[in-house]
Amino acid sequence: IVRLGGELGNVIANNGAYMFMPSGLDAKCSGSQIYSILVGDYDMMASCGFSDRKVADPYERVAELLKNIYKMDFERKTIKTAYMVVQYGGGVKSLISNKEFVAAAPEGIKASTFCKQVIKAVEQIMGDKIMALRATLQARVQEICDMRDVEMFKYTHIDGFVVNKTVCGSVDVTDAYTSIRYSEYKGLISFGSATEETGLLDVSDRTPAREEFARTFAVNYIQGLDAVLARKVAALAKEAGIDGFVSIHDCFRVAPKDVLKLKGIIQEAYVWLFVENNPLQHLFDQLDLNAAECGFESVLTEDMIYEE
């Protein structure tokens, strides 16, 4: 804030001096936003930015559900931690291993009970259509792997990018922090964290597993679309000669003078990805499915993208 004040002071004093602090735009819960566009869920789309008025975002909606259950408020970062875990395929084990999250549980409520209730709340807010897409993809991918007797298969995004991702299973080495002395003089082999009192959990067994490939397929696909969008924004920014372009996932920054250009470029990228193309049907064609017949149809229009 102090630096921004100084930069603005320079602009005022010098009648438009160049500012070196980057500025820009960040997506609103991009995972759920992409999910909702693909399945045509107006309610979630509004929560993720497609609204002409202020609407509670997914984290606020989960917090409200939990407030009604436990009669207490929850910090946004607590809900966001849980939401991101569940949205990207995690469950009780992932949440219960997060001590900061577990510490937010209401007094007298078992950690496992709290985790299960939070997961239920997140899935309720994500909605039936998004949960149905995840289930549809998992079932079909598992079926294809079983038919071909393979642990994974390749697929492409609309820009031609080939996804060739093997997913391995995992094992828990120890439930709690454990150390083994392997020599009287040379020391210990440690499993987990002594300071956090956690074991060594979810360690890859480096064995390709079709069940994990199927279970995480939707998550990896959505993150892949996020990357497709980011690549398109970067390419358009380069074509436009925008200064100082940087990105971190779904967050883009440029020189302040180019922020309005950046907004237009992001909108152009959304039109290309979701209106001019149909990324979900492109995937479903490779899975021998029909998106509309499965109940998924995008409702996003160019007018909605360019609406203030």
Side-chain angles (χ1 to χ4, degrees), residues 220-270:
N220 290 325
Y221 172 69
I222 294 299
Q223 291 182 327
L225 278 186
D226 216 5
V228 170
L229 191 63
R231 287 196 295 273
K232 186 64 173 180
V233 171
L236 291 173
K238 184 177 181 180
E239 290 176 12
I242 281 189
D243 285 338
F245 178 85
V246 294
S247 68
I248 303 175
H249 303 299
D250 57 2
C251 174
F252 306 101
R253 296 287 183 265
V254 295
K257 67 183 180 65
D258 285 337
V259 170
L260 290 181
K261 285 185 182 178
L262 173 65
K263 178 184 177 182
I265 282 171
I266 293 173
Q267 290 169 318
E268 184 180 346
Y270 269 77

